[in-house]
Structures are given as C-alpha cells and as structure tokens.
C-alpha cells in the first residue's frame, strides 16, 4: 500500500482507501475493518493524507508523511499522547516532533486529528504495510 492511497473522509472515523468511483461519490474501504461503503460526494469531502501538511513558521508546510516518520523515529523515547490528553500536552509533543510548527495557524483540533490518524495507523500496523519505494 502506498501513503498516497490513504484518504480521510469527512464525517467518518478512521482512514480509507478508494475502491472505485461511482456517479455521485466513491466506494471506500475502511482500513481497519476492510468493510466497503458508498460515500456520497454531496455529504462527504475526501482528502488524501499525501496532500496534507502541518504549517511551519518559515512559511512552508511540513508534509504529513514526514511528520509521521518523525513520530515513528521518536516512538520509543517519546510515545505519542492520546488525542484526548490536555491541550498543553498535545502542543508539547508537537513541539518535540516538529519544533518549527506555526503556533498561530496550528490549532488543538489539528493536533488531535493528527494524533488520531497516527494512532489509527499504528494500531492497524499500516506503517509496516507502506511501500518502501516512496
């Protein structure tokens, strides 16, 4: 599986892959349960994780894949907190992983979402399944 194939669907928990496109939406497969469902485009928005990034102070953005790689590197010494931890704990962790993140444009909800996806991928062993050629 490639990182570029993983998508987030608004209004649905977890991460998905696209099975096929249909008129009015797409059929997605849940990466944890492998169940397929139709997600109408009128109700949901679809965003590949590959296109997402974390704002940094230098005006650029750090791609989500690189942030996940840093989190993986620090997993033994600095495990990721649960998404429902205190706001201060979430931002302290992000500061350790990405010291140059933009404190004005990155919100607590962004960090919670980042951690939810990271824990989802970790729990479902998706980091091991990602292609090394990327």
């Amino acid at each position: 599986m490639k990182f570029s194939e993983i998508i987030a669907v608004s209004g649905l928990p977890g991460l998905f892959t696209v099975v096929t496109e249909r008129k009015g939406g797409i059929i997605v497969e849940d990466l944890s349960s492998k169940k397929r469902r139709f997600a109408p485009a009128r109700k949901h928005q679809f965003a590949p994780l590959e296109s997402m990034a974390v704002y940094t102070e230098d005006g650029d953005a750090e791609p989500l894949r690189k942030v996940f790689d840093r989190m993986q590197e620090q997993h033994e010494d600095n495990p990721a907190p649960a998404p429902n931890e205190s706001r201060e704990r979430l931002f302290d962790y992000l500061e350790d992983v990405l010291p140059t993140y933009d404190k004005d444009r990155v919100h607590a909800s962004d960090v919670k979402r980042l951690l939810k996806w990271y824990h989802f991928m970790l729990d479902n062993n998706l980091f091991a399944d990602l292609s090394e050629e990327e």
Side-chain angles (χ1 to χ4, degrees):
M1 170 183 296
K2 294 181 182 176
F3 190 72
S4 60
E5 296 172 347
I6 301 173
I7 66 167
V9 180
S10 66
L12 299 178
L15 296 172
F16 302 86
T17 58
V18 175
V19 175
T20 188
E21 292 185 34
R22 305 251 335 237
K23 184 177 181 181
I26 60 175
I27 295 178
V28 294
E29 181 177 88
D30 188 315
L31 290 175
S32 62
S33 67
K34 302 296 182 200
K35 289 185 178 179
R36 294 180 177 187
R37 64 178 292 168
F38 178 70
R42 286 184 283 162
K43 185 176 180 183
H44 302 286
Q45 293 179 349
F46 313 101
L49 294 191
E50 177 184 54
S51 69
M52 296 182 194
V54 178
Y55 292 116
T56 57
E57 292 173 341
D58 59 7
D60 288 337
E62 190 73 15
L64 207 55
R65 176 64 192 254
K66 288 185 179 181
V67 176
F68 282 159
D69 288 343
R70 287 184 182 165
M71 292 168 80
Q72 281 288 98
E73 290 169 5
Q74 295 185 10
H75 182 68
E76 293 294 321
D77 302 331
N78 185 16
N84 59 356
E85 294 259 348
S86 71
R87 178 184 169 98
E88 292 77 26
R89 173 74 176 106
L90 298 179
F91 281 110
D92 287 345
Y93 178 75
L94 186 61
E95 180 87 31
D96 290 341
V97 173
L98 186 64
T100 61
Y101 83 94
D102 190 332
K103 291 158 183 61
D104 295 329
R105 297 198 295 176
V106 177
H107 303 285
S109 60
D110 301 327
V111 181
K112 286 181 182 185
R113 190 175 308 115
L114 172 80
L115 288 170
K116 281 181 186 177
W117 290 337
Y118 175 76
H119 284 294
F120 180 89
M121 291 183 72
L122 200 61
D123 294 344
N124 291 291
N125 204 24
L126 295 177
F127 289 112
D129 293 345
L130 292 179
S131 299
E132 291 299 321
E133 56 195 57
E134 290 185 76

